Amino acid sequence: MDRPPVGDVDDLATLAKLDEQILLGELRERYRRGRIYTYVGDILIAVNPYKDIGIYGKNEAKKYRGGKKSNNPPHIFAIADATYQSLLGQGGRLPSNQCILISGESGAGKTESTKLIIKQLISLCGGNVQSSTAQLEQQILQVNPLLEAFGNAQTNMNDNSSRFGKYIQLKFRKGLVMGAKISEYLLEKSRVVRQSPGEENFHIFHYLFAGLSPEQQDKFVLRDVAKFRYLSNGAKVLQKKGGILKGRYEELCNAMDLVGFTDEEQLEVFTVIASVLHLGNIRFDSNEQDAAVLMDPNGAVKVASMLLQVDPEEVEACLTSMVTVIKGEYVKQLYSKQQAEDARDAMAKTLYGRLFGWIVNKINCLLAPEEDIPPDEVREIGILDIFGFEHFELNSFEQACINLANEQLQFFFNEHIFKMEQEEYIREGIDWKEIKFVDNKPLLDMFLTKPIGLLALLDEESMFPKATDQTYVEKITSHFKKNQYFGASQQTRSVNFSVNHYAGKVEYDATRWLEKNRDTLPSGIMEILTSSNTSLVKTIFRAQITRTGSLSLQGRTLRKSSRLRKVNPDKIRAKRKVTVGAQFKTSLNILMERMQSATPVFVRCLKPNHVKKPEMFMDEYILAQLLYTGMLETTKIRREGFAVRPLFQDFVDKYKILLCQHKLKGSSDNCKKILKASGLSGWHIGKTKVFLKYWHIEQLADILERIGKSARVLQKLARGFVARRRVARLRQAAVEQRHLVEGLLQQIEQLCVTCSLNHDRIRQEDVKKPKDKNKTDQLQPPAVPLHSPTGSITSYLKPQAHTVSCGTGMDDDDDDADDEVMEDDFKADASNRNKFGAPGRKATTIWFQSTQTENVVEPQSGKFAQWFHGIISRKQSEVLLKGMPVGCYLIRVSESRFGYTLSFRAEDRSRHYMIDQIRNGKFIILGESKVHRSLHDIIEYHKTHHISNWKGLLTEPCGQLSPSNPDYAVLQSGDCDYMDLVDESSRMYFILDPSASTSGTSRQSGASSPGLPPRNYTVQRESGQSRMAGRPLPQVPPQVPPQSYQRLIQNQEEQHKYNPLQQTSGSRVRLSTTRNRLH
């Protein structure tokens, strides 16, 4: 068979001949054509294009929704779709938890791939603004941009490099996303205080200077960016990308709004960020005793203390000295200039690190499932986006940890793709020729083994006060000088050493490794910050640190009214003595456990060049990545191996329908029967498992789909036959019943005729018979039965309740400590459903009365807004908007959910958009990204900005129909009246009495609710059942002008032929209010 043209092969595992050059040539040609994605079996290779290639729109997302893998070109959306189908047990697979591992060098596109996968997963599980989880889906999509602002920075290898690792867990129930959780690993806090040449600090610092208004900059004392020492390239960055950074600041604020951060929390976050910058400007000098002294006691230290709301003198004392207890006496030890600078930097790093941990913790609380879901109903998709392999000119402790994490992921990849799979072939008796691969376990042992390992020895040295970076390097050199993965420096007093990683040799500089591993705060700083008057600072420094290094708030959210438990700061410090290396090692172990409990899906990101330019494919650079990731060996094992290996029983349970048998034992013989019936080839039967190629699953899914279609046809025919027979029986029963009724009626008719004839005959006989004056004949009444009949006439007329079984078989279900903390427990705040009950008119009314009254009030007048229309249906809103000009709008309360709906008139019809309230009290139109502070802001914003899928603008509010309008009768049920939404205790009513009308004055009852807009009044009929019945008589509000009042009286006379002024003095007429404006 001839080989297909170069670049036309979507799956490299289908090539008959394969070597490094063929693999490289295929990727090069596909990249030249703009095809950046290529399959290797069920593994995806993605080459970073460094530009937008326009393949991630709605049409592409729809194309890869529930389709077959072979029907479309390779795409990141196809991986998301296959993962989602595997989660649900579709496409021929058994339902199971999934995890997607995205790996590659720094700058290869891992973060962008993560965002695209999450976007497609959200589209697959919902993607519908009408769904119950629409707001949660939008919030999840904003998590990555939010975390990027605080955790990403520009490096020499990547303009948006992740300086922390994250594992995102999406939790599903019945195919719908119910919540999310983020685990963060090893934030590069040292970047806060120093950056390598050509690199920048975290994005958020630049966002503040570009996005804050002058007033806000004055509040945070952030004026000249060039004066801040922690921003080495701040002025150049703002000059070059000021407009872009300002837009990203606005996007960040909107993302924080959408996720659920309150304005107060956002202000406190930015305050802490500003304080970190001012801490960097604290400068020290040395006095005659070489002790550190502040150069400007009234400068940066005072500003930073003001922002943190702590005592500046205490901060100064803690940064320049340390108090110890020796033999019961307090001894003050002065710091040198270098020690003071280290203390200052440690304080800044700890502030930023704990703030970042609080942000992640807050996100987890806001995205936690609102309901307690049984564990057996929850499925999970995990997405790992971790820092890529790094090799800089200067590589420090952070690069060692980052590269160790990549070594661990490479080991996990090798274990699943090569080692475990080939061991299983041998164990199951499959004829297999071993494929060699590079095993990096010895290198991991060099890092992780206790008590002799790079991290264990680092922890050991960190325990000794007199240990130095030099002593650490000498110790590891003495232990590993003969290890093939370790390289000692040629210089005797050097603190450098090298490690031969799977991706290449990296030389490390051990300067400050002990300091970074200890990660300790100066004495007294913890106590100062714990007693801060800023609630956020107080919270993050009273929180515990988990064994993985993350911040633990025990599922609590930050509230001003919440009680923060008192914790002994000394006890906190004692618990924090776990080193950074130990925390990172623990977090790696937990991460591996999570991934091993799920089915892994691999995405390999490749970097086409090291200069970050599009359309530049460097063969040597790509080939090096292919070699050290083992892609050639991976392609071979995917081509020759068996990627799918279910147990006999699982396979039989899934595919026994192919043999048309309901019960079938999970044996090798039955598996063979199923496979032979399917017509597949190339499979093998082991001792306990079936071994299938990765393409067999799609072929089996096609067979199941055909059988499913046939089954649906048979079901349709069978159900039709059963239904027709049932209808025939019912018809026959009806005919028989009709005959019986007709016979009964005929008998009754005959009896009536007979009785009538007998009656006439008796009367005639009585007339002819002579009367006896001495005897009177009396007709005796019929005898009364001793027992009354079973049912009386009244009971017969009452409808009887019957229990009808629908055969669903479903029950009626209401929709409605250890000292060491492993990880935090996240629980969402009580949802509206839990507070007010299942959505409905009653629950919605309670929700509105409790939380929403102020949101529909005009700020200037204190009246209800003219566009507010209470609880009305979609049909009623369309009646109101009928004939109105384009852009005429109203906002109504939804009866089926706790929220609002924006309805407006478009060119051809009325349009309706759902409005949700976020937990921070702000509002968003579902499907739109912009968050608004109030309903009024939504109206004003969309008077000048288009809604995404409509080109028009909102123009004028929709008023109310007058009673003369023909459609007014549709609204007479009262659903358009929002009086029911106002609490009884503060409800306003109007009283119309003759004296008020003649004098032209009116009085208003003392009520706290806002005034109602002008409207007409109609007389309540005596026999009508109005909601106003039994209530106090309404008063005429003072805002109704005399001419409007006279017009109201005339309207009453014309409509009801009734003049209230003709009533006797002192009498009052009850009027019901309608939602009609006075004209």
Side-chain angles (χ1 to χ4, degrees):
M1 181 178 177
D2 294 335
R3 176 188 168 187
V6 176
D8 287 350
V9 179
D10 291 339
D11 187 353
L12 299 181
T14 61
L15 292 173
K17 183 180 179 181
L18 191 65
D19 56 26
E20 290 90 346
Q21 293 303 319
I22 292 177
L23 187 64
L24 180 65
E26 290 286 344
L27 293 178
R28 183 198 308 114
E29 182 60 23
R30 293 182 65 82
Y31 186 79
R32 188 186 67 80
R33 299 181 187 180
R35 302 174 183 176
I36 64 172
Y37 297 113
T38 308
Y39 291 130
V40 176
D42 52 358
I43 300 170
L44 182 71
I45 296 178
V47 185
N48 193 344
Y50 286 116
K51 65 177 182 179
D52 184 7
I53 55 178
I55 60 171
Y56 306 108
K58 292 183 178 179
N59 292 333
E60 283 74 15
K62 186 176 180 181
K63 183 191 303 182
Y64 291 91
R65 186 183 183 95
K68 298 178 183 178
K69 176 183 172 184
S70 58
N71 287 351
N72 297 301
H75 202 288
I76 193 73
F77 287 170
I79 293 296
D81 181 64
T83 304
Y84 184 69
Q85 290 188 44
S86 298
L87 179 85
L88 301 178
Q90 299 174 355
R93 292 185 179 271
L94 299 173
S96 62
N97 293 336
Q98 306 286 308
C99 70
I100 303 175
L101 279 70
I102 307 173
S103 58
E105 287 190 0
S106 178
K110 298 181 300 299
T111 299
E112 292 302 315
S113 296
T114 299
K115 291 190 286 189
L116 291 170
I117 286 175
I118 294 177
K119 172 186 173 182
Q120 182 67 0
L121 286 173
I122 294 300
S123 174
L124 292 170
C125 70
N128 182 2
V129 297
Q130 304 295 329
S131 67
S132 59
T133 60
Q135 184 188 131
L136 174 63
E137 293 165 5
Q138 287 186 269
Q139 290 174 324
I140 292 174
L141 291 175
Q142 295 299 319
V143 166
N144 264 310
L146 196 161
L147 291 178
E148 284 179 18
F150 295 91
N152 287 30
Q154 178 176 325
T155 66
N156 292 322
M157 298 179 67
N158 188 359
D159 290 343
N160 187 34
S161 176
S162 297
R163 308 319 299 163
F164 72 107
K166 60 178 178 290
Y167 186 66
I168 304 173
Q169 297 166 270
L170 301 180
K171 301 181 183 297
F172 296 85
R173 183 187 189 186
K174 297 179 180 179
L176 292 177
V177 62
M178 304 304 296
K181 180 183 176 183
I182 299 170
S183 302
E184 48 99 1
Y185 306 103
L186 195 69
L187 176 70
E188 188 186 19
K189 294 183 291 185
S190 62
R191 181 169 293 271
V192 174
V193 299
R194 62 180 60 87
Q195 304 94 44
S196 300
E199 297 192 352
E200 299 173 5
N201 211 324
F202 292 103
H203 294 326
I204 182 61
F205 294 106
H206 304 289
Y207 289 179
L208 289 188
F209 283 97
L212 291 177
S213 64
E215 294 78 11
Q216 292 172 318
Q217 289 183 355
D218 291 339
K219 182 177 181 178
F220 296 135
V221 200
L222 299 176
R223 297 184 182 91
D224 188 359
V225 64
K227 294 182 179 179
F228 290 92
R229 195 177 63 87
Y230 283 168
L231 298 179
S232 56
N233 300 318
K236 295 180 180 179
V237 171
L238 281 182
Q239 184 178 4
K240 183 179 179 181
K241 302 186 295 186
I244 297 175
L245 294 175
K246 183 177 181 180
R248 290 179 179 173
Y249 169 80
E250 295 173 354
E251 293 174 0
L252 168 65
C253 293
N254 191 74
M256 296 183 76
D257 285 337
L258 182 53
V259 173
F261 288 80
T262 65
D263 291 341
E264 293 78 10
E265 290 168 343
Q266 294 182 40
L267 178 62
E268 290 181 337
V269 167
F270 295 152
T271 301
V272 173
I273 296 295
S275 70
V276 170
L277 288 175
H278 288 291
L279 285 175
N281 283 354
I282 299 176
R283 301 181 183 275
F284 301 94
D285 201 355
S286 300
N287 59 14
E288 295 79 3
Q289 292 80 28
D290 289 333
V293 293
L294 252 66
M295 296 180 62
D296 185 7
N298 295 320
V301 66
K302 208 162 189 178
V303 176
S305 301
M306 178 267 296
L307 293 173
L308 296 173
Q309 296 190 26
V310 295
D311 188 348
E313 295 181 358
E314 293 184 0
V315 174
E316 178 182 353
C318 289
L319 293 180
T320 56
S321 63
M322 176 178 62
V323 177
T324 58
V325 180
I326 301 177
K327 296 182 180 181
E329 296 183 359
Y330 291 93
V331 178
K332 185 177 181 179
Q333 178 183 352
L334 300 179
Y335 286 156
S336 65
K337 178 182 177 182
Q338 183 62 50
Q339 289 174 324
E341 291 175 348
D342 291 344
R344 172 203 63 199
D345 291 345
M347 182 178 178
K349 290 189 295 183
T350 304
L351 260 174
Y352 192 85
R354 290 204 169 216
L355 174 66
F356 185 79
W358 177 85
I359 291 173
V360 174
N361 194 289
K362 178 73 176 179
I363 292 173
N364 286 335
C365 289
L366 292 171
L367 300 185
E370 293 185 352
E371 303 176 9
D372 291 332
I373 307 173
D376 58 338
E377 296 183 14
V378 178
R379 295 289 181 187
E380 181 180 297
I381 295 179
I383 304 148
L384 179 64
D385 176 22
I386 204 164
F387 14 58
F389 190 88
E390 293 184 347
H391 186 187
F392 300 137
E393 292 183 5
L394 178 62
N395 302 285
S396 187
F397 178 66
E398 293 80 10
Q399 279 67 49
C401 292
I402 288 171
N403 293 340
L404 172 59
N406 281 270
E407 289 281 358
Q408 188 75 62
L409 292 181
Q410 181 66 18
F411 174 76
F412 182 81
F413 179 83
N414 290 339
E415 282 282 299
H416 278 77
I417 300 300
F418 297 105
K419 188 174 182 180
M420 293 172 58
E421 186 170 328
Q422 296 189 97
E423 287 178 352
E424 193 166 27
Y425 295 156
I426 298 173
R427 186 169 57 251
E428 291 284 331
I430 304 298
D431 185 16
W432 177 257
K433 183 179 179 181
E434 183 181 3
I435 295 177
K436 300 293 184 179
F437 66 96
V438 178
D439 189 0
N440 65 338
K441 190 176 186 306
L443 188 143
L444 286 176
D445 293 339
M446 185 182 75
F447 267 95
L448 302 174
T449 301
K450 286 185 176 182
I452 305 300
L454 293 181
L455 292 183
L457 292 175
L458 181 62
D459 288 345
E460 181 180 297
E461 287 295 290
S462 299
M463 294 174 61
F464 299 107
K466 294 185 179 181
T468 63
D469 300 323
Q470 179 66 41
T471 61
Y472 169 67
V473 173
E474 291 174 355
K475 182 173 288 189
I476 61 175
T477 301
S478 64
H479 281 93
F480 299 108
K481 59 184 177 181
K482 295 182 179 180
N483 192 304
Q484 61 175 333
Y485 297 100
F486 182 86
S489 175
Q490 300 298 323
Q491 302 178 5
T492 56
R493 302 294 297 174
S494 173
V495 292
N496 292 351
F497 65 94
S498 62
V499 175
N500 295 320
H501 288 283
Y502 78 99
K505 183 177 180 180
V506 178
E507 184 174 353
Y508 294 103
D509 184 351
T511 303
R512 293 181 177 270
W513 274 40
L514 296 183
E515 174 193 334
K516 293 177 180 179
N517 189 50
R518 290 170 181 148
D519 193 28
T520 56
L521 266 179
S523 176
I525 292 295
M526 178 67 75
E527 289 83 350
I528 293 175
L529 296 175
T530 303
S531 60
S532 168
N533 292 326
T534 301
S535 58
L536 176 58
V537 176
K538 185 186 301 183
T539 298
I540 63 179
F541 279 92
R542 289 189 176 186
Q544 293 178 293
I545 298 296
T546 68
R547 289 186 59 192
T548 61
S550 59
L551 201 67
S552 170
L553 298 173
Q554 301 304 316
R556 296 174 298 168
T557 55
L558 181 62
R559 293 181 179 176
K560 292 185 178 180
S561 62
S562 62
R563 296 180 58 188
L564 298 173
R565 57 188 177 88
K566 295 181 179 180
V567 178
N568 187 348
D570 296 331
K571 191 175 181 181
I572 293 178
R573 275 202 312 275
K575 292 181 180 179
R576 287 198 68 248
K577 288 185 178 179
V578 179
T579 62
V580 173
Q583 291 172 350
F584 186 62
K585 181 179 177 181
T586 302
S587 64
L588 278 181
N589 292 334
I590 294 176
L591 178 62
M592 291 301 111
E593 290 175 1
R594 286 175 176 166
M595 293 192 299
Q596 287 170 358
S597 64
T599 302
V601 179
F602 297 100
V603 177
R604 286 289 195 183
C605 295
L606 301 180
K607 193 174 177 181
N609 57 76
H610 61 274
V611 292
K612 300 179 286 188
K613 288 186 178 181
E615 301 179 2
M616 180 184 290
F617 190 94
M618 300 176 63
D619 289 4
E620 298 81 3
Y621 199 72
I622 287 286
L623 184 59
Q625 297 174 69
L626 294 175
L627 291 176
Y628 73 65
T629 56
M631 289 311 300
L632 179 62
E633 294 79 6
T634 302
T635 306
K636 290 180 179 178
I637 198 170
R638 274 294 174 260
R639 181 180 60 188
E640 301 173 11
F642 303 92
V644 183
R645 303 178 294 277
L647 293 168
F648 287 160
Q649 189 62 55
D650 293 338
F651 182 78
V652 169
D653 290 342
K654 183 71 176 179
Y655 300 107
K656 60 187 176 184
I657 188 65
L658 273 66
L659 299 180
C660 300
Q661 295 188 26
H662 178 63
K663 293 183 179 180
L664 199 62
K665 184 179 178 181
S667 63
S668 60
D669 291 337
N670 289 332
C671 292
K672 291 179 181 177
K673 292 178 182 179
I674 294 174
L675 290 167
K676 290 178 180 178
S678 66
L680 300 181
S681 60
W683 46 265
H684 282 274
I685 298 294
K687 297 177 181 179
T688 62
K689 292 184 176 182
V690 178
F691 289 80
L692 304 172
K693 301 289 187 179
Y694 64 89
W695 63 79
H696 284 155
I697 288 299
E698 187 169 315
Q699 295 174 357
L700 288 170
D702 290 340
I703 297 173
L704 289 180
E705 185 177 354
R706 292 197 300 269
I707 293 176
K709 290 180 179 179
S710 302
R712 287 191 289 273
V713 173
L714 292 175
Q715 287 177 350
K716 181 179 69 173
L717 295 174
R719 288 174 177 173
F721 173 75
V722 172
R724 285 191 293 272
R725 289 194 61 182
R726 181 172 178 270
V727 170
R729 287 196 300 268
L730 291 175
R731 285 178 177 174
Q732 182 63 31
V735 171
E736 294 175 357
Q737 197 172 35
R738 185 185 65 186
H739 291 330
L740 291 175
V741 171
E742 289 177 351
L744 177 62
L745 293 176
Q746 289 177 2
Q747 292 178 11
I748 293 173
E749 185 178 359
Q750 292 176 0
L751 289 173
C752 289
V753 172
T754 303
C755 290
S756 178
L757 293 175
N758 290 337
H759 185 267
D760 293 341
R761 180 179 56 79
I762 293 171
R763 287 182 61 187
Q764 291 176 4
E765 290 178 356
D766 287 345
V767 171
K768 295 178 182 180
K769 187 176 181 181
K771 294 183 180 180
D772 189 353
K773 296 182 180 181
N774 298 324
K775 187 177 180 179
T776 304
D777 294 330
Q778 296 181 353
L779 295 176
Q780 298 297 327
V784 178
L786 295 177
H787 301 284
S788 60
T790 304
S792 63
I793 294 178
T794 55
S795 65
Y796 170 77
L797 294 176
K798 293 181 180 178
Q800 300 295 318
H802 298 282
T803 303
V804 180
S805 174
C806 297
T808 60
M810 297 176 62
D811 295 330
D812 184 16
D813 188 15
D814 188 12
D815 288 337
D816 284 46
D818 295 333
D819 289 340
E820 286 187 333
V821 181
M822 289 298 296
E823 58 182 350
D824 212 347
D825 178 29
F826 301 103
K827 292 184 179 179
D829 294 336
S831 63
N832 286 328
R833 185 186 191 88
N834 295 332
K835 293 178 182 177
F836 308 110
R841 190 177 189 87
K842 181 178 179 181
T844 301
T845 301
I846 298 174
W847 165 76
F848 183 89
Q849 292 174 351
S850 304
T851 63
Q852 299 297 308
T853 305
E854 296 180 357
N855 292 322
V856 295
V857 174
E858 291 286 1
Q860 295 81 9
S861 64
K863 306 173 186 176
F864 282 105
Q866 193 175 3
W867 40 256
F868 178 61
H869 281 247
I871 302 179
I872 62 174
S873 66
R874 178 189 181 110
K875 179 179 178 181
Q876 289 171 327
S877 67
E878 292 176 351
V879 169
L880 288 166
L881 293 169
K882 184 178 180 180
M884 295 294 183
V886 173
C888 184
Y889 61 89
L890 61 87
I891 292 181
R892 54 191 172 91
V893 180
S894 300
E895 186 174 0
S896 59
R897 43 183 285 277
F898 299 108
Y900 298 90
T901 299
L902 170 65
S903 300
F904 58 86
R905 186 67 187 173
E907 292 79 0
D908 53 346
R909 58 183 176 89
S910 294
R911 288 176 173 263
H912 308 272
Y913 291 81
M914 297 168 64
I915 301 175
D916 263 7
Q917 187 174 29
I918 308 171
R919 293 181 183 177
N920 55 16
K922 299 178 182 180
F923 296 89
I924 183 171
I925 297 178
L926 295 184
E928 303 291 310
S929 59
K930 175 71 175 176
V931 177
H932 305 271
R933 296 181 178 274
S934 66
L935 296 175
H936 300 276
D937 288 348
I938 290 180
I939 297 299
E940 295 303 319
Y941 181 82
H942 287 293
K943 285 183 178 179
T944 56
H945 295 79
H946 303 290
I947 296 178
S948 59
N949 59 351
W950 184 57
K951 297 181 180 180
L953 300 172
L954 301 184
T955 55
E956 61 181 65
C958 176
Q960 314 303 317
L961 296 179
S962 65
S964 59
N965 193 302
D967 292 325
Y968 179 74
V970 179
L971 305 175
Q972 282 300 295
S973 63
D975 288 339
C976 192
D977 191 352
Y978 52 68
M979 288 295 290
D980 282 352
L981 297 177
V982 184
D983 186 42
E984 287 285 347
S985 61
S986 61
R987 195 186 292 274
M988 292 184 59
Y989 304 102
F990 297 91
I991 300 177
L992 178 64
D993 66 41
S995 60
S997 64
T998 55
S999 62
T1001 60
S1002 62
R1003 58 188 179 90
Q1004 185 176 3
S1005 62
S1008 60
S1009 66
L1012 302 175
R1015 64 188 72 203
N1016 288 334
Y1017 298 87
T1018 58
V1019 175
Q1020 178 64 49
R1021 298 176 180 175
E1022 295 295 333
S1023 60
Q1025 297 296 324
S1026 170
R1027 289 193 299 265
M1028 298 292 292
R1031 298 174 179 168
L1033 297 177
Q1035 295 180 349
V1036 177
Q1039 67 266 24
V1040 178
Q1043 58 271 24
S1044 299
Y1045 181 79
Q1046 295 299 331
R1047 203 177 305 120
L1048 179 149
I1049 298 301
Q1050 182 179 359
N1051 188 21
Q1052 305 293 335
E1053 294 175 354
E1054 292 177 355
Q1055 292 186 35
H1056 304 283
K1057 308 300 181 184
Y1058 178 77
N1059 187 357
L1061 300 181
Q1062 296 176 358
Q1063 300 296 311
T1064 58
S1065 60
S1067 64
R1068 293 177 177 175
V1069 180
R1070 181 180 301 167
L1071 301 177
S1072 66
T1073 62
T1074 65
R1075 305 256 344 256
N1076 302 308
R1077 291 181 298 177
L1078 294 173
H1079 298 287

